[in-house]
Amino acid sequence: NAQQPTPAQPATFATGGPATCLKCHDDAKVNPILQTPHATKGDAHSPFGQMGCESCHGASGDHVAARSNKPSVLFKGPNASPPAARNEVCLSCHQSGARMNWQGSQHANNDAACNNCHTVHVRKDPVLVKLSQAEKCFTCHAEQRSQVFRFSHHPIREGKVACSDCHNPHGSAGPKLLKELTVNETCYNCHAEKRGPLAWEHQPVRENCMNCHTPHGSNQPRLLAQRSPYLCQECHSNSGHQANPQSGQQLPGKTGFNGAISTNFRAFARGCVNCHSQIHGSNSPAGMWFTR
Amino acid sequence: LVPFAALADDDDFDLANAPTTPAAPPTSHNQITTLPLTPIAPPVAPYQGEVVIGGGWQSNVGVRYGRLNGMVDRGMMALGAFRFRGGDAWDSGETFYFDAEAYDLGQDTRSASLKFGQQGRWGLNFTYNGMTDFQSNSFHSIWGKSGALVAGVAPGSVKNATTVAPLLQVEDIYSRREAMTATGKVQYGDWLVQTGLRHEHREGFKENSLAILGAPSPIAGNGNITSSALAYFAEPIDYDTDRYDISAQYNGRGMQLMFGYTFHNFRDNVASLNLANPFQFSAGTGATGSAATAAAGSPNIVSIYSLPPSNSAHQLKSQFAMNVTPTTRVNLNLQYGLMMQNSPYVAGTGNANFASLPAPSSNLDGSIQTVHLNGAVTSQPFAGADVRLAYTLDDRRNLTPRNAYKQYYQDAFAAAPITPYNMPLNYQHQSFELQGGYRVTPQTKLMLGYAYETTQRNYADTNLITQNTINAKVRSTLTEGVFGSLGYTHEDRLASNYSRNNPWVNGLGVNENEFFRFVNYYQASRVRDEFKGTLDLELSPKLTTTLIGRTAFDHYPNSALGLRDNNNINIGPDISYRISHDVQLHGYYTYQMLFFSQASAVSNAACNGGGTTLNTGPAPCLSNGVWNGHNMDETHTAGASLDWQARDDLKVTADYTFSLGRNAYSIANGGIYSFVPAGTAALQLSPIPDVKSMLNSLSLRAEYQIMPNASLWFGYTFERLNYKDYGTQVNAAQYSNALFSGDSNASYSVHQVFGALRLRW
């Protein structure tokens, strides 16, 4: 509804402040805001420390005079103001910190309005609660909703990890709206043991964890994009034992690809990582092959 | 997978927040919600409390079910939650507030928080959070959790691993995180100073495996086995992780600033694990090395496994933003990071028969500097138009000393020691982006973008990558109640300065030159085409549907080996239907397909020098043998939910999710290449079983109000996972030279019932 015209700008504020509004709007859809930080009159930064309801909804003297005159900023309904107009209200206070990169961000470019995700007139905004946040994000991000139900996933269904633990939906200087400036910096926040530096580094690991992992969920163990050995053979495919085919012929009870008894265990369990179990890097002086 | 997800959340499942009037229908893609979010307010009271006490029962053990929520065991469980909140009345002119809550009490995943302060002046916040990771209740190992061999197994005694199956120790593999944070803030005018300390302790075990490399010596009594031995072990986890943040923000109307510092410290309280070798290796196999594994040598082999070394990191962060005109904003983000690691090295080998090879220093003295810079200008030059110009630098400079590490990389058999150099990896990634949008009509917005990126690396296959990306997107309200968007992105990545693995050849001293048309997939030339689309239909005020689709096709035009194609398709509808004032339905379906196509060479002694060096020229080695592999990874996910206000005092919700995953693999002849190279038998291939997972998950919840301030909660969860994976269904001791984890199948079928009393005041 980004195309709805903005209603005409009323000229005056209601004389009685919030009390005037509550004469008509003292109902359950509206007044929970009185239990939220937005309604703290003693805080000069709060809307109620300024112009009350009209801090956000715009000067509404004309609306008070005649209900047919809509407030200047409407956040819901068929006559909702354009996202830019709604966001301007929120950004007039919330432009710093995590929201500093909002302008030009993916959500801003796609006309997302703050109140598409946030609900202000409730005691606690569901999108700010870890247990309920993902449901809001999945409204648009159906691919990720599908992924969290897969065999391997981060504890999002379990309510222990929220989308905002990794992402900053308000804009980021990093990729994919991540809170940190790189993928790896984001992952190290919980997986600090992978940070290093290490004596023997595995280059794709150091550059981007997502070279091998898919963070929202996978049909493969350990959030892998593909299972080992096939994942490993996306790079290690040119020579040596790592390049050999691992078909059903290498499963228990079968012979190897060349007819001899299978003597390697790359086709099952953890694949190549059965032996190269320090695949994220090793700090052993003898760890060149990531086995120690 | 949370018994009562709303215990600490008073919006989703709360009688007091049930809608009394129909929610406004969604009017755009971004407004479609699965549940109404128009709660009723309780009377405004300065102090409110809520306590939930109850319990539940689980029908079966479900390791995979409870892996991350802690509910693994069969039997009874306790549930509890509370919340107290309050403060000065909104119109009192005062600003004190407090909020204390806890949930999942009685579970390993329990959480709690307390925050209080004076709004607009200062605030303190304390949290506690428990997390679980239950990997297995049937982990088999020849080592106990202490790292010692199990009773009845002497070092160097096992000739055939199948004979020790009854002796293997069966363990739970479980770890738990406990995180505590304390944060504080002080606000003065437009300045805000925040600080925080987070401490996390993680303790337990995780599954790991160890190769005891003995090639080419045979294991005694197993003449057919010519490679090494392998065994799984429980890796101890005893981590302490700390993070300290402090920042100062200035929030002016026209300008915002932030300066911050973050210190990370990771401490591993276990430096290494010494695992005695259980396998008996043949005598006299160290022909080219040192004393090797002579007859009495096997018991002397102790594999020293290095665990993650303690490390630390510092980050200096700054952000600046300014509205230079009413329609133009400038952003600058700058971050400097320093990662350090200086833990003492473990010994390179634990084989007492080997000559000592001291490391070049006692520790790595590793450090890496990172610089991240992002600058952007966003502007609306005229009505309906917006432009964004951005530059990003991501630079990693590895200052770790480069040294020669003379080493045996095998514990059981010492070929002549090799002397490779470590390779401190550097890279620098830069991107320039230009994005523009224009509202061509009030209902239609068109967006165009271009990006140029470069990546430079050292010690890499390709030292330089350049990438050009163009994208276009249109968003439009086609007619009343119909909204759509369509986007297209084309990416062209070109790899150059190809070095054919020379860094490894030169740095490690290994003879492993690469096939001439091979580059690691993430460095290789790539062409990507991506399409995205959405269609929202508001069929009636009560019925809305959304169709979301995305496809991406990656092609690696210059890669004859490795990953050659990678496709991704996602599509599915989402439907919300408010049947009546009191009943709302929501349903969705998503299909995702991932497709991987890759190729590899078959090592062949006749042409590639013993399977380690492929000839560089196109002939004759191209005809030696190449295999093609395909992986089709498909997932169907469907869900339905019901939200029903059955009576004024009864609310019921139901959620059902079905997810079906299937991985199909095929490996086949490489087409134009022969599989019958001189001197070897024909390549023998056989099908790989599909990997399948099927999840059925049903959740029913009800809340019945028995008194104005008291209600009863009921819950029922049924979840079943059917999982078939040839890769994990391997017995612990079915090979003579390997001992696997032997974990039980991950499938489960779990019923849970819950009940609780909720009191509010």
Side-chain angles (χ1 to χ4, degrees):
Chain A
N1 62 344
Q3 299 75 36
Q4 299 295 331
T6 307
Q9 194 74 247
T12 57
F13 288 92
T15 51
T20 305
C21 306
L22 289 170
K23 284 178 184 174
C24 297
H25 296 289
D26 188 11
D27 60 51
K29 288 174 66 176
V30 173
N31 64 19
I33 199 169
L34 300 178
Q35 301 171 59
T36 71
H38 281 122
T40 304
K41 208 168 181 177
D43 178 7
H45 296 89
S46 152
F48 274 46
Q50 299 171 37
M51 303 307 295
C53 309
E54 293 164 288
S55 295
C56 300
H57 292 279
S60 302
D62 288 357
H63 175 63
V64 172
R67 294 180 65 180
S68 57
N69 297 325
K70 299 293 183 188
S72 56
V73 184
L74 289 169
F75 288 87
K76 284 186 175 179
N79 297 316
S81 304
R86 284 179 270 166
N87 293 349
E88 188 179 344
V89 171
C90 305
L91 289 169
S92 65
C93 294
H94 298 287
Q95 202 168 203
S96 64
R99 297 157 297 272
M100 213 182 279
N101 292 301
W102 169 258
Q103 283 84 352
S105 69
Q106 290 93 320
H107 282 148
N109 282 342
N110 283 289
D111 285 336
C114 303
N115 73 315
N116 289 145
C117 302
H118 290 286
T119 310
V120 172
H121 285 257
V122 292
R123 285 183 298 174
K124 197 160 186 178
D125 184 352
V127 85
L128 300 181
V129 176
K130 191 168 273 194
L131 294 168
S132 50
Q133 183 187 84
E135 196 59 40
K136 175 59 73 176
C137 303
F138 294 157
T139 306
C140 296
H141 299 282
E143 182 178 340
Q144 284 70 29
R145 175 176 57 195
S146 161
Q147 289 169 333
V148 302
F149 283 101
R150 293 188 188 168
F151 174 75
S152 175
H153 58 269
H154 271 118
I156 298 168
R157 290 182 67 201
E158 290 79 2
K160 305 309 291 184
V161 167
C163 307
S164 62
D165 286 335
C166 301
H167 296 281
N168 178 359
H170 304 108
S172 163
K176 299 288 182 186
L177 291 177
L178 288 176
K179 283 170 76 171
E180 305 291 346
L181 298 181
T182 67
V183 171
N184 285 26
E185 293 283 359
T186 306
C187 303
Y188 295 154
N189 277 332
C190 293
H191 303 283
E193 73 277 13
K194 307 287 194 299
R195 183 187 288 124
L198 300 168
W200 304 102
E201 297 190 314
H202 192 192
Q203 192 168 45
V205 177
R206 293 302 120 195
E207 287 198 23
N208 191 336
C209 303
M210 290 178 64
N211 281 329
C212 300
H213 295 281
T214 177
H216 298 107
S218 169
N219 288 326
Q220 310 292 351
R222 294 175 295 282
L223 289 169
L224 290 173
Q226 237 202 138
R227 69 176 44 210
S228 181
Y230 313 112
L231 174 69
C232 309
Q233 289 176 323
E234 290 179 6
C235 290
H236 300 283
S237 56
N238 66 97
S239 66
H241 69 273
Q242 66 267 34
N244 287 333
Q246 305 295 327
S247 74
Q249 201 66 22
Q250 278 69 43
L251 296 181
K254 297 291 183 69
T255 59
F257 70 90
N258 59 2
I261 290 177
S262 180
T263 58
N264 69 72
F265 310 106
R266 301 176 199 116
F268 53 88
R270 301 200 301 167
C272 307
V273 181
N274 282 328
C275 295
H276 301 280
S277 55
Q278 296 276 28
I279 202 61
H280 293 106
S282 170
N283 203 53
S284 166
M288 181 185 77
W289 300 114
F290 307 130
T291 57
R292 288 284 181 273
Chain B
L1 298 181
V2 178
F4 294 109
L7 287 179
D9 167 16
D10 52 23
D11 299 299
D12 272 5
F13 191 81
D14 191 332
L15 276 181
N17 286 329
T20 54
T21 54
T27 54
S28 79
H29 169 67
N30 289 329
Q31 285 187 306
I32 294 173
T33 58
T34 54
L35 288 170
L37 296 170
T38 50
I40 303 172
V44 177
Y47 298 96
Q48 297 161 2
E50 180 178 341
V51 173
V52 179
I53 301 172
W57 177 78
Q58 181 169 318
S59 65
N60 296 310
V61 172
V63 172
R64 195 74 195 182
Y65 176 76
R67 176 172 186 172
L68 301 172
N69 65 12
M71 292 186 287
V72 169
D73 297 324
R74 180 179 190 273
M76 302 296 293
M77 67 184 79
L79 296 172
F82 67 79
R83 184 174 187 194
F84 306 106
R85 67 192 298 269
D88 292 317
W90 68 275
D91 55 353
S92 68
E94 302 298 324
T95 61
F96 176 75
Y97 67 90
F98 76 89
D99 193 338
E101 65 180 28
Y103 59 97
D104 278 357
L105 299 177
Q107 301 292 312
D108 283 349
T109 51
R110 54 192 171 270
S111 300
S113 69
L114 167 66
K115 60 183 175 184
F116 58 93
Q118 283 187 293
Q119 186 179 317
R121 296 178 187 172
W122 63 273
L124 291 171
N125 190 358
F126 302 91
T127 67
Y128 167 85
N129 192 19
M131 295 176 73
T132 63
D133 186 356
F134 205 112
Q135 281 191 290
S136 175
N137 65 347
S138 54
F139 178 77
H140 295 68
S141 180
I142 200 163
W143 294 287
K145 285 185 171 176
S146 67
L149 285 169
V150 297
V153 177
S157 66
V158 178
K159 294 182 178 179
N160 186 334
T162 60
T163 62
V164 297
L167 302 175
L168 299 180
Q169 195 151 318
V170 182
E171 298 274 10
D172 288 348
I173 298 295
Y174 168 81
S175 69
R176 183 163 182 267
R177 296 174 188 246
E178 290 182 288
M180 287 159 280
T181 62
T183 60
K185 62 183 178 183
V186 176
Q187 191 165 354
Y188 183 77
D190 290 329
W191 283 92
L192 175 68
V193 177
Q194 293 177 295
T195 186
L197 175 65
R198 181 181 191 273
H199 173 76
E200 180 188 279
H201 178 68
R202 185 181 178 197
E203 190 165 348
F205 292 87
K206 67 175 182 179
E207 293 191 3
N208 209 340
S209 53
L210 172 75
I212 304 173
L213 299 176
S217 64
I219 291 180
N222 279 289
N224 287 327
I225 304 300
T226 58
S227 72
S228 311
L230 172 73
Y232 271 62
F233 67 95
E235 178 182 320
I237 294 173
D238 187 358
Y239 302 159
D240 285 299
T241 308
D242 295 291
R243 174 182 170 131
Y244 175 68
D245 294 280
I246 186 165
S247 67
Q249 290 177 27
Y250 173 75
N251 182 21
R253 286 269 171 177
M255 182 183 78
Q256 298 83 42
L257 275 173
M258 189 281 288
F259 298 102
Y261 166 73
T262 300
F263 173 65
H264 304 262
N265 190 53
F266 167 77
R267 186 171 69 251
D268 189 347
N269 298 308
V270 184
S272 68
L273 189 61
N274 299 343
L275 297 166
N277 166 47
F279 297 100
Q280 185 177 117
F281 289 90
S282 298
T285 55
T288 59
S290 61
T293 58
S298 295
N300 292 334
I301 300 171
V302 176
S303 293
I304 299 177
Y305 194 85
S306 66
L307 298 175
S310 301
N311 64 59
S312 61
H314 303 265
Q315 289 174 326
L316 288 169
K317 307 174 181 181
S318 64
Q319 282 184 284
F320 168 79
M322 186 173 186
N323 299 329
V324 292
T325 74
T327 58
T328 301
R329 183 172 172 85
V330 174
N331 281 79
L332 187 65
N333 300 270
L334 178 62
Q335 179 176 303
Y336 169 81
L338 179 63
M339 298 185 276
M340 297 184 295
Q341 188 271 107
N342 206 21
S343 298
Y345 283 130
V346 299
T349 180
N351 190 332
N353 288 345
F354 287 3
S356 175
L357 299 176
S361 58
S362 60
N363 37 34
L364 179 67
D365 194 20
S367 64
I368 295 171
Q369 283 185 3
T370 57
V371 175
H372 301 280
L373 171 66
N374 170 265
V377 179
T378 310
S379 182
Q380 292 85 43
F382 52 90
D386 56 77
V387 178
R388 180 174 187 265
L389 181 66
Y391 167 76
T392 302
L393 169 72
D394 172 11
D395 184 82
R396 169 186 154 116
R397 188 152 303 178
N398 197 331
L399 306 177
T400 302
R402 188 160 193 255
N403 285 310
Y405 287 79
K406 194 171 186 179
Q407 62 185 261
Y408 309 106
Y409 64 92
Q410 301 169 320
D411 273 337
F413 167 76
I418 56 174
T419 311
Y421 282 78
N422 65 317
M423 291 183 288
L425 303 171
N426 299 318
Y427 64 82
Q428 185 183 77
H429 178 81
Q430 296 182 83
S431 71
F432 305 85
E433 296 171 68
L434 177 62
Q435 188 81 34
Y438 181 60
R439 206 170 288 282
V440 292
T441 72
Q443 287 78 30
T444 303
K445 184 178 180 182
L446 177 66
M447 289 173 277
L448 296 171
Y450 168 74
Y452 175 75
E453 297 172 64
T454 66
T455 303
Q456 292 174 287
R457 302 176 170 93
N458 68 348
Y459 304 119
D461 265 357
T462 53
N463 291 334
L464 178 64
I465 285 175
T466 57
Q467 179 170 301
N468 289 280
T469 305
I470 57 168
N471 65 75
K473 185 172 185 178
V474 61
R475 295 167 47 85
S476 181
T477 300
L478 304 171
T479 181
E480 187 176 346
V482 181
F483 169 84
S485 72
L486 189 63
Y488 169 68
T489 301
H490 176 80
E491 217 175 78
D492 199 343
R493 186 170 82 185
L494 180 66
S496 54
N497 293 358
Y498 178 46
S499 60
R500 287 185 55 253
N501 220 22
N502 282 332
W504 279 76
V505 174
N506 298 332
L508 301 184
V510 294
N511 189 16
E512 200 164 335
N513 268 320
E514 284 179 345
F515 182 64
F516 79 109
R517 287 189 69 196
F518 166 74
V519 183
N520 293 342
Y521 93 93
Y522 67 96
Q523 300 177 12
S525 296
R526 183 183 71 185
V527 178
R528 166 176 287 184
D529 291 289
E530 183 175 15
F531 300 87
K532 286 183 184 176
T534 60
L535 180 64
D536 293 346
L537 299 176
E538 194 178 313
L539 299 173
S540 78
K542 293 182 175 179
L543 179 62
T544 58
T545 68
T546 300
L547 180 66
I548 301 174
R550 183 176 79 88
T551 66
F553 302 96
D554 289 355
H555 177 60
Y556 297 81
N558 297 333
S559 296
L561 298 178
L563 188 63
R564 300 170 74 177
D565 289 287
N566 180 202
N567 305 332
N568 183 351
I569 296 174
N570 278 277
I571 192 163
D574 192 300
I575 300 171
S576 290
Y577 181 39
R578 177 170 287 281
I579 296 174
S580 68
H581 171 269
D582 297 320
V583 182
Q584 176 151 326
L585 285 173
H586 172 248
Y588 70 89
Y589 166 75
T590 304
Y591 170 74
Q592 181 171 35
M593 186 274 283
L594 304 169
F595 175 74
F596 301 84
S597 174
Q598 59 194 102
S600 271
V602 179
S603 63
N604 171 254
C607 196
N608 66 5
T612 57
T613 306
L614 203 67
N615 279 2
T616 55
C621 286
L622 264 179
S623 64
N624 266 355
V626 169
W627 57 270
N628 289 336
H630 294 154
N631 174 15
M632 179 85 84
D633 181 344
E634 293 178 292
T635 309
H636 305 264
T637 310
S641 66
L642 164 72
D643 191 37
W644 179 29
Q645 182 79 39
R647 303 183 344 176
D648 287 346
D649 55 3
L650 178 64
K651 182 178 178 182
V652 177
T653 62
D655 286 281
Y656 171 71
T657 302
F658 172 77
S659 177
L660 177 64
R662 175 178 170 270
N663 266 264
Y665 301 90
S666 67
I667 290 182
N669 190 307
I672 61 171
Y673 305 119
S674 164
F675 273 128
V676 194
T680 62
L683 196 66
Q684 295 186 26
L685 301 171
S686 60
I688 305 171
D690 289 355
V691 175
K692 295 177 183 173
S693 62
M694 184 167 69
L695 177 80
N696 281 279
S697 182
L698 173 67
S699 168
L700 302 173
R701 301 287 185 267
E703 183 179 9
Y704 176 63
Q705 190 163 3
I706 53 176
M707 289 188 293
N709 291 328
S711 57
L712 293 173
W713 295 57
F714 302 97
Y716 168 72
T717 297
F718 167 68
E719 191 160 296
R720 169 176 286 177
L721 174 72
N722 292 317
Y723 186 67
K724 289 185 178 177
D725 183 347
Y726 70 90
T728 59
Q729 289 158 15
V730 180
N731 294 333
Q734 66 183 93
Y735 284 92
S736 55
N737 64 330
L739 290 164
F740 288 92
S741 62
D743 292 323
S744 302
N745 189 314
S747 299
Y748 60 78
S749 180
V750 168
H751 300 264
Q752 288 179 320
V753 290
F754 307 106
L757 172 67
R758 181 192 205 189
L759 302 172
R760 309 176 73 175
W761 63 88

